[in-house]
Amino acid sequence: MQEHSPTPDGTVADAVKDNWVDTWAPEATRPLLRLSRADRPIGTWLLLLPCWWGLTLSMLHDGRATLHDLWIALGCALGAWLMRGAGCTWNDITDRDFDGAVERTRSRPIPSGQVSLRGAVIWMCVQALLAFGILLTFNLAAITLGILALLPVAVYPFAKRFTWWPQVFLGLAFNWGALLAWTAHSGTLGAPAVLLYFAGIAWTLFYDTIYAHQDTEDDALIGIKSTARLFGDKTAAWLRRFLMATVGLMGLAVVFAVQPAGNVLALVVALAGPWAMGWHLAWQLRGLDTEDNAKLLRLFRANRDTGMIPLLFFVPALLV
């Protein structure tokens, strides 16, 4: 089926250059790995980092850490890779006709003919079942949350058909790990985790609006809605609001999580996380050019570093 691909070697247009899938993976596995976006790892990071936020804040909240927390961190990493792959496969199944009409996405495995619809469905189920196996190693409350996470994942691909705010639905799905990892450690869902969840949604609105600006012309032609199209030349002002919401909500999450323990130094160190994250978001905002697709993609990918920044402070706060 490779001969139908818009690129001679079957690579996807916006994949990372010289990525491991196109360079090292066995050729027979490449179409399925591309379908899972394994050649574009930024999505896995964006799904994983809220999990690690939730886990570290939960540990700060109750002041305990066990070897099982190491497994929660690793399990979240494996689960994020699998569920990101399953979610992207589901997204490409539902969007196969739209993707074929958009320049940036027509090289994806389904519209390019590298993977059949039946093969994509089977691959999606395999990934989801493996992720479910990992979820079963957590406590019952976390397992319940993990199952509930399927709802926003299932709805997201259709959101751009009925709302100008599909990025909200992406945020609901991508930041669920903050709730799940907090609960996997503590056994119950706490208010700081909910605040952290909403901080993550605001962050998703920031980075995915930047990402969506790459496709505004094609989206307008085929009737796809997005915050990028909705905001237009007011995008920078809206991103500034999302930046403030991200920092403010994460700061509140830190206060509610750490303050009850009475460790002022840990609170100060942890609060530096959202503060530093805000500066990184401000750097992105200063470099924003909605007419430069290459720069938009670079800024979007920079959010792996953005999301890592709070952990550089949450982890040391555990040690003071």
Side-chain angles (χ1 to χ4, degrees):
M1 300 175 75
Q2 192 94 347
E3 66 273 16
H4 300 297
S5 175
T7 54
D9 56 358
T11 57
V12 178
D14 56 356
V16 177
K17 186 179 180 182
D18 297 324
N19 66 83
W20 73 274
V21 173
D22 296 332
T23 306
W24 301 108
E27 190 169 349
T29 68
R30 290 178 186 177
L32 292 177
L33 290 170
R34 290 167 184 148
L35 188 59
S36 296
R37 309 282 203 277
D39 53 347
R40 286 153 287 168
I42 179 61
T44 299
W45 283 109
L46 297 176
L47 188 61
L48 171 60
L49 291 169
C51 300
W52 285 352
W53 298 346
L55 174 61
T56 51
L57 275 193
S58 189
M59 294 165 69
L60 281 166
H61 181 66
D62 62 19
R64 64 181 178 88
T66 67
L67 285 176
H68 186 60
D69 293 316
L70 289 176
W71 166 245
I72 293 173
L74 178 59
C76 284
L78 295 171
W81 193 86
L82 289 164
M83 282 309 297
R84 191 261 181 142
C88 287
T89 304
W90 170 240
N91 184 81
D92 283 9
I93 289 169
T94 59
D95 282 359
R96 57 192 183 277
D97 294 330
F98 288 132
D99 285 347
V102 175
E103 179 64 30
R104 185 178 60 83
T105 58
R106 64 175 50 139
S107 57
R108 288 179 176 175
I110 296 177
S112 67
Q114 297 179 63
V115 178
S116 68
L117 181 58
R118 181 174 178 273
V121 171
I122 293 171
W123 180 234
M124 177 184 67
C125 292
V126 168
Q127 294 171 97
L129 286 171
L130 289 171
F132 184 63
I134 294 171
L135 181 65
L136 290 177
T137 67
F138 297 163
N139 58 50
L140 182 59
I143 292 170
T144 302
L145 281 171
I147 294 171
L148 289 174
L150 293 175
L151 181 59
V153 171
V155 172
Y156 166 66
F158 302 101
K160 54 184 167 288
R161 296 160 166 83
F162 62 80
T163 178
W164 287 101
W165 293 83
Q167 280 69 26
V168 170
F169 288 84
L170 181 67
L172 290 170
F174 258 57
N175 295 281
W176 199 272
L179 307 176
L180 193 152
W182 172 288
T183 305
H185 169 82
S186 68
T188 57
L189 183 60
V194 176
L195 288 167
L196 192 63
Y197 180 53
F198 284 113
I201 292 171
W203 177 44
T204 302
L205 280 161
F206 183 97
Y207 66 67
D208 205 59
T209 297
I210 291 174
Y211 184 78
H213 263 287
Q214 297 175 90
D215 300 326
T216 49
E217 292 184 8
D218 286 334
D219 286 351
L221 288 173
I222 59 180
I224 293 296
K225 298 178 173 67
S226 72
T227 49
R229 288 189 61 207
L230 177 66
F231 302 155
D233 58 7
K234 296 181 176 63
T235 290
W238 277 98
L239 293 184
R240 203 167 292 114
R241 296 180 185 119
F242 299 144
L243 184 162
M244 291 186 292
T246 302
V247 174
L249 288 166
M250 186 179 288
L252 283 174
V254 170
V255 170
F256 277 92
V258 184
Q259 186 273 335
N263 188 331
V264 177
L265 181 56
L267 178 60
V268 171
V269 172
L271 278 173
W275 175 82
M277 181 181 184
W279 279 107
H280 198 270
L281 291 170
W283 166 78
Q284 292 183 54
L285 193 54
R286 284 197 299 272
L288 182 69
D289 181 355
T290 58
E291 302 302 317
D292 186 341
N293 281 2
K295 192 167 191 179
L296 290 169
L297 187 58
R298 286 197 302 272
L299 289 176
F300 168 71
R301 288 175 175 165
N303 279 277
R304 181 202 62 177
D305 298 338
T306 310
M308 289 289 288
I309 287 172
L311 294 170
L312 299 179
F313 297 90
F314 292 173
V315 173
L318 289 167
L319 307 176
V320 302

